[in-house]
Amino acid sequence: MTANGEEPQIEDLKLADPEEDVVNPWSVSSSSQEGVDYDKLIKRFGSSKIDQELIDRWEKVTGKPAHHLLRRGMFFSHRDVHTILTNYEQGKPFYLYTGRGPSSESMHVGHLIPFIFTKWIQDVFNVPLVIQLTDDEKFLWKDLTVEEATRLAHQNAKDIIAIGFDVNKTFIFSDFTYMGQCPDFYRNISRIQKCVTFNQVKGIFGFGDSDVIGKIAFPAIQAAPSFSTSFPLIFGAAKVPCLIPCAIDQDPYFRMTRDVAPRLGFPKPALLHSTFIPALQGANTKMSASDNNTAIFLTDTPKQIKTKVNKYAFSGGQASVEEHRKLGGDCKVDVAYQYLRYFLEDDERLEQIRQDYTSGALLTGELKKLLIDQLQPIVAAHQEKKSKITDEMVKQFMTPRPLNFVK
Amino acid sequence: MTANGEEPQIEDLKLADPEEDVVNPWSVSSSSQEGVDYDKLIKRFGSSKIDQELIDRWEKVTGKPAHHLLRRGMFFSHRDVHTILTNYEQGKPFYLYTGRGPSSESMHVGHLIPFIFTKWIQDVFNVPLVIQLTDDEKFLWKDLTVEEATRLAHQNAKDIIAIGFDVNKTFIFSDFTYMGQCPDFYRNISRIQKCVTFNQVKGIFGFGDSDVIGKIAFPAIQAAPSFSTSFPLIFGAAKVPCLIPCAIDQDPYFRMTRDVAPRLGFPKPALLHSTFIPALQGANTKMSASDNNTAIFLTDTPKQIKTKVNKYAFSGGQASVEEHRKLGGDCKVDVAYQYLRYFLEDDERLEQIRQDYTSGALLTGELKKLLIDQLQPIVAAHQEKKSKITDEMVKQFMTPRPLNFVK
């Protein structure tokens, strides 16, 4: 909502002015060590803050405690989640849609976050989930061949499956593959592409005259899975509402989608927006799959994790032990502490760590060790699970099919 | 080729200046009663004139007489047809690609021309043929639903099949359907869309900022069938050269295609360009499927044909019989005579008619009767053949499959 309570029209969905944080699907940056100002972003994007009232209602409706990523504000913004909850109370169905751009072989721990959260929502509500791998997007934006982008999509599918999704409730698809399997997908893409002008994608995404026509047309391909008729084997011809958990940088796609949905007779997709997990170097940049030292990768060894955290994780501590004991550390900018907020589920322990680091009782090296101890088993367990994901299992998840709910 | 013998680069492929004939995929018009100046168009588009040398070589290479549409200059311009003939002499394969935008239920006799000619080429060379029905294009440009555009494509397929194509050598496809049947089609589309900028389609097609992104991306969809890997069941992974017979207004698509082909490692498609059959009202407009009185439709009764020709066919004759006997008629602008050039195969009879009308021995009413006598059985025979085309036959032609050559 904007200041006057109206959802912005597609014409108003302009890019940030140069003095603001840059947050769009291809670039996220902030000049502040604390990272993007998410409250400002909510105002600029016209979304709603996830407040205690929404979290309380979520817990009441589902009868289950909220996930720590929701309680701690890593998912901080939403659109129309109250509507989804109301529908759920009334026994009306919805489905989940999320995705990934497969730009590299290995994913980093930041990439896990939306999937872990999405799996939790799926478990809580017991709803179908579709996961789009935008190999066509990565082909268009990166120096990749079609074949390489498709191969990366299948590789990434293994990491996603390893998170523990239920094959009976989850369909994973790559655009290059699914486009040739389901005429309804292209039909919805074409319907969206008939509703959106170049002027509009110029305003929303910042495209220019020298951009290739593939990029200009792509937003419709990320929009189309928001409409359930793109998956006839799952939903038939029913127009089922959709909830999209995603990082806030993907919101431009779905503002566009929400703008065209009523014109095409579809419900507007609801959204849950996450913050960005900071790079090891600090919250003023985003983790990057293309710079090996900015992130903990899912392929890293315990030793690599230890070295990276100790060597690169930006510290909120003081210059010397003496000073640190006296002045204490700054959790707001300390990357080890910020990571623990994502990966340490125990609220009481996290609060104790926060107090100890802030007071100076806990030293930077000790805090880093806590994170290393937390991440090493998570990454090792992921590798163990991934090693058991066969090509046959990937094929199962990626085969268009009815989903099969056994409650 | 341009004046200096170079094929124009994609940047040079601009639209006509306002004083020239308008010839692009969505609009054809000329202020002259004789219609478009095709010699000027050859210069502007940088194509080559079909001269007697090419026709002689064609006849020599194939060992068969040239079709009257080729001999009489209805196919007047080409790109790289000498290369196709050289390849054929060397026993190297090629395939044919043509298409239709299914904007209306019934086609007119003008729509038959490229298909009749394409069938003749197919028979002479015994090569595979793919026919694209751009239902997505018509959905994007017209006030049609996806379902209606797809239905029109299937209806039009019946008219095309009735022309007599061999199901063993011919694959007909609608974009909305084939896109969901063959991942390789979308892969080639995406490859083309990565090579072409908005600036380029702006220059070639005249798109503007307020055009929808579906239109902006569409040229790649018409380009992709020029590359044989879009049809893996027919050609496997082989990069087979392609020859495209089409009306000259479709050339912008294929100039763009020829520009990107080498960058993608494909041979440039060769082209054979036809003139436009004039509207009944005269050569300064194009027949229109949306104005029932501008054309003879394939659904017209013998009586309707008679009435339309007598009532609407622009006459090159004089105001009175006396004057006509004295001054003679003008075949260059007389629509009945022009139509006979398309539909009367007998060269000697046509020449006699031309002489008689020019001298005034043949009156306008008599000339119109000759055309009526020619068209009525052609249209009736078409209706008879079309009535025997079943949905099952349409399905056969439109099923992706290997083609089966029995020589």
Side-chain angles (χ1 to χ4, degrees):
Chain A
M1 298 284 161
T2 54
N4 59 8
E6 301 267 312
E7 186 150 9
Q9 293 300 296
I10 202 165
E11 283 72 21
D12 304 324
L13 304 174
K14 302 299 179 195
L15 288 181
D17 77 47
E19 290 182 18
E20 291 179 313
D21 297 330
V22 175
V23 177
N24 67 56
W26 306 283
S27 182
V28 175
S29 66
S30 168
S31 51
S32 160
Q33 189 65 48
E34 288 180 29
V36 171
D37 184 328
Y38 291 106
D39 283 333
K40 270 195 186 165
L41 216 53
I42 286 173
K43 277 191 195 141
R44 215 169 86 203
F45 282 10
S47 62
S48 305
K49 197 180 168 91
I50 295 181
D51 53 17
Q52 196 53 47
E53 188 197 334
L54 178 62
I55 296 172
D56 291 345
R57 188 172 171 221
W58 180 295
E59 292 189 327
K60 191 175 153 233
V61 168
T62 63
K64 282 164 194 158
H67 196 277
H68 70 273
L69 290 169
L70 192 59
R71 279 188 277 112
R72 294 180 193 161
M74 276 77 160
F75 278 80
F76 71 103
S77 158
H78 78 103
R79 298 183 189 274
D80 281 351
V81 167
H82 277 294
T83 309
I84 291 285
L85 292 176
T86 302
N87 285 345
Y88 183 75
E89 284 178 315
Q90 296 170 355
K92 290 180 194 157
F94 73 95
Y95 73 103
L96 290 163
Y97 159 38
T98 191
R100 159 160 177 79
S103 56
S104 68
E105 185 90 30
S106 75
M107 291 163 60
H108 59 60
V109 294
H111 293 135
L112 283 180
I113 299 301
F115 289 108
I116 289 171
F117 188 67
T118 300
K119 181 176 173 349
W120 173 76
I121 304 176
Q122 184 183 34
D123 291 344
V124 165
F125 289 96
N126 190 31
V127 286
L129 162 64
V130 296
I131 299 175
Q132 179 182 48
L133 303 171
T134 54
D135 47 2
D136 51 353
E137 179 208 3
K138 292 304 167 188
F139 164 71
L140 288 166
W141 262 267
K142 305 268 175 185
D143 185 19
L144 284 176
T145 63
V146 169
E147 290 75 14
E148 181 65 3
T150 306
R151 196 187 66 76
L152 291 174
H154 282 251
Q155 282 305 309
N156 287 185
K158 287 193 178 180
D159 276 305
I160 293 167
I161 294 167
I163 292 163
F165 291 103
D166 181 346
V167 71
N168 292 312
K169 303 178 189 175
T170 308
F171 173 49
I172 304 176
F173 63 100
S174 106
D175 290 339
F176 274 132
T177 307
Y178 190 54
M179 193 79 77
Q181 295 175 320
C182 175
D184 294 283
F185 185 38
Y186 176 55
R187 286 185 184 123
N188 277 344
I189 290 166
S190 199
R191 287 184 179 106
I192 297 163
Q193 290 179 337
K194 192 178 178 177
C195 286
V196 179
T197 66
F198 179 67
N199 258 329
Q200 290 169 331
V201 292
K202 199 155 97 173
I204 301 170
F205 300 98
F207 295 143
D209 285 14
S210 56
D211 275 312
V212 297
I213 59 176
K215 289 186 181 182
I216 291 165
F218 175 76
I221 298 176
Q222 186 154 333
S226 312
F227 301 150
S228 56
T229 57
S230 298
F231 307 99
L233 289 178
I234 304 174
F235 304 108
K239 292 184 173 176
V240 179
C242 173
L243 172 61
I244 305 171
C246 64
I248 187 82
D249 61 336
Q250 300 298 303
D251 187 65
Y253 287 115
F254 303 116
R255 281 184 304 216
M256 187 196 86
T257 310
R258 287 169 59 85
D259 187 84
V260 303
R263 281 187 274 163
L264 295 174
F266 290 107
K268 290 184 180 190
L271 285 135
L272 278 165
H273 297 125
S274 77
T275 58
F276 311 108
I277 191 165
L280 286 174
Q281 285 74 6
N284 49 0
T285 48
K286 191 185 173 188
M287 267 193 181
S288 164
S290 48
D291 181 349
N292 195 43
N293 289 326
T294 61
I296 306 295
F297 282 85
L298 296 174
T299 46
D300 283 349
T301 63
K303 201 179 156 205
Q304 283 175 312
I305 294 170
K306 187 177 169 188
T307 307
K308 281 189 189 178
V309 171
N310 282 329
K311 193 165 172 186
Y312 298 110
F314 184 85
S315 169
Q318 304 300 335
S320 68
V321 173
E322 293 67 34
E323 259 188 276
H324 189 80
R325 294 284 187 216
K326 202 167 98 189
L327 300 170
D330 182 356
C331 283
K332 276 197 188 123
V333 299
D334 188 279
V335 165
Y337 175 76
Q338 291 300 323
Y339 273 40
L340 283 170
R341 291 185 70 223
Y342 281 88
F343 294 102
L344 177 61
E345 287 184 34
D346 186 330
D347 285 342
E348 283 178 30
R349 222 178 130 219
L350 183 71
E351 175 55 19
Q352 192 59 53
I353 290 166
R354 194 190 63 76
Q355 287 180 16
D356 290 350
Y357 194 63
T358 306
S359 72
L362 194 68
L363 297 175
T364 292
E366 292 164 341
L367 178 61
K368 286 192 170 184
K369 182 158 191 316
L370 289 173
L371 176 64
I372 292 162
D373 290 346
Q374 194 65 29
L375 283 182
Q376 281 174 336
I378 289 175
V379 172
H382 182 84
Q383 288 167 3
E384 168 71 13
K385 280 181 276 180
K386 191 185 170 186
S387 71
K388 291 179 179 149
I389 308 300
T390 62
D391 289 338
E392 182 52 39
M393 286 162 79
V394 174
K395 201 180 155 193
Q396 277 181 6
F397 271 94
M398 298 188 76
T399 298
R401 64 203 190 283
L403 295 181
N404 176 23
F405 277 77
V406 182
K407 295 206 183 192
Chain B
M1 300 284 163
T2 54
N4 58 9
E6 300 267 312
E7 186 149 11
Q9 292 300 297
I10 201 163
E11 283 71 22
D12 304 324
L13 305 173
K14 302 299 178 195
L15 287 180
D17 78 47
E19 291 182 19
E20 290 178 314
D21 296 331
V22 176
V23 177
N24 67 56
W26 306 283
S27 182
V28 175
S29 67
S30 168
S31 51
S32 160
Q33 189 64 47
E34 290 181 28
V36 171
D37 183 329
Y38 290 107
D39 283 332
K40 270 195 187 165
L41 216 52
I42 286 174
K43 277 192 196 141
R44 215 169 85 204
F45 282 10
S47 61
S48 304
K49 195 180 169 89
I50 295 181
D51 52 17
Q52 197 54 46
E53 188 197 336
L54 178 63
I55 296 172
D56 290 346
R57 189 174 168 218
W58 180 295
E59 292 190 326
K60 192 175 154 233
V61 168
T62 64
K64 282 164 191 159
H67 195 276
H68 70 273
L69 290 168
L70 193 58
R71 278 188 278 113
R72 293 180 194 162
M74 277 76 160
F75 278 81
F76 69 104
S77 156
H78 78 102
R79 297 182 190 275
D80 282 351
V81 168
H82 277 294
T83 309
I84 291 284
L85 293 176
T86 302
N87 284 346
Y88 183 73
E89 284 178 313
Q90 297 170 355
K92 291 181 194 158
F94 73 95
Y95 72 104
L96 290 163
Y97 160 38
T98 191
R100 159 158 176 80
S103 56
S104 69
E105 186 91 31
S106 76
M107 291 163 62
H108 58 60
V109 294
H111 293 136
L112 282 182
I113 299 301
F115 288 108
I116 289 171
F117 188 66
T118 300
K119 181 176 173 349
W120 174 75
I121 304 177
Q122 185 184 33
D123 292 343
V124 165
F125 290 97
N126 189 31
V127 286
L129 162 64
V130 297
I131 300 175
Q132 180 183 48
L133 302 171
T134 54
D135 47 3
D136 52 352
E137 179 208 2
K138 292 304 166 187
F139 165 72
L140 288 166
W141 262 267
K142 305 269 175 184
D143 185 20
L144 285 176
T145 64
V146 169
E147 291 75 14
E148 181 65 3
T150 305
R151 197 187 64 76
L152 291 174
H154 283 250
Q155 282 305 310
N156 286 185
K158 287 194 179 179
D159 276 306
I160 293 166
I161 294 167
I163 291 163
F165 291 103
D166 180 346
V167 71
N168 292 311
K169 302 179 191 175
T170 309
F171 173 49
I172 304 176
F173 63 101
S174 104
D175 290 339
F176 274 132
T177 306
Y178 190 54
M179 193 78 78
Q181 295 175 320
C182 175
D184 293 284
F185 185 38
Y186 175 55
R187 288 185 184 123
N188 276 343
I189 290 164
S190 199
R191 288 184 178 107
I192 297 162
Q193 290 179 337
K194 191 177 179 177
C195 286
V196 179
T197 66
F198 179 68
N199 259 329
Q200 291 169 332
V201 293
K202 198 156 98 173
I204 301 170
F205 300 98
F207 295 144
D209 285 15
S210 56
D211 275 312
V212 297
I213 59 175
K215 290 186 181 182
I216 292 164
F218 175 75
I221 299 175
Q222 186 154 334
S226 312
F227 301 150
S228 56
T229 56
S230 298
F231 306 99
L233 289 178
I234 304 175
F235 303 109
K239 292 184 173 176
V240 180
C242 173
L243 171 62
I244 305 171
C246 65
I248 186 82
D249 61 336
Q250 300 299 304
D251 187 65
Y253 287 116
F254 302 115
R255 281 184 304 216
M256 187 195 87
T257 310
R258 288 169 57 86
D259 187 83
V260 302
R263 280 188 276 163
L264 295 174
F266 290 107
K268 291 184 178 190
L271 285 134
L272 278 166
H273 297 125
S274 78
T275 58
F276 310 108
I277 190 165
L280 286 174
Q281 285 73 6
N284 49 0
T285 49
K286 189 184 172 187
M287 268 193 181
S288 164
S290 49
D291 181 350
N292 196 40
N293 289 327
T294 61
I296 305 296
F297 283 86
L298 296 175
T299 46
D300 283 349
T301 62
K303 203 180 154 204
Q304 282 174 312
I305 294 170
K306 186 178 171 189
T307 307
K308 281 190 189 177
V309 171
N310 281 330
K311 193 164 170 185
Y312 298 110
F314 183 85
S315 169
Q318 304 300 335
S320 68
V321 173
E322 293 67 34
E323 258 187 278
H324 190 81
R325 294 283 186 215
K326 203 169 94 191
L327 300 170
D330 183 356
C331 282
K332 276 198 189 123
V333 298
D334 188 279
V335 165
Y337 176 75
Q338 291 300 323
Y339 273 40
L340 284 170
R341 290 186 71 222
Y342 281 88
F343 294 102
L344 177 61
E345 287 183 34
D346 185 330
D347 287 340
E348 283 178 30
R349 222 177 130 218
L350 184 70
E351 175 55 19
Q352 191 61 52
I353 290 166
R354 194 189 64 76
Q355 286 179 16
D356 290 351
Y357 194 63
T358 306
S359 72
L362 193 69
L363 296 176
T364 292
E366 292 164 342
L367 178 61
K368 285 190 170 185
K369 183 158 191 317
L370 289 174
L371 176 65
I372 292 162
D373 290 346
Q374 193 66 29
L375 282 182
Q376 281 174 336
I378 290 174
V379 171
H382 181 85
Q383 289 168 4
E384 168 71 13
K385 280 182 275 178
K386 190 184 170 186
S387 71
K388 291 178 181 150
I389 308 299
T390 62
D391 289 338
E392 183 53 39
M393 286 162 79
V394 174
K395 201 180 153 193
Q396 277 180 5
F397 271 94
M398 298 187 76
T399 298
R401 64 201 191 284
L403 294 182
N404 177 23
F405 276 78
V406 182
K407 294 206 184 194

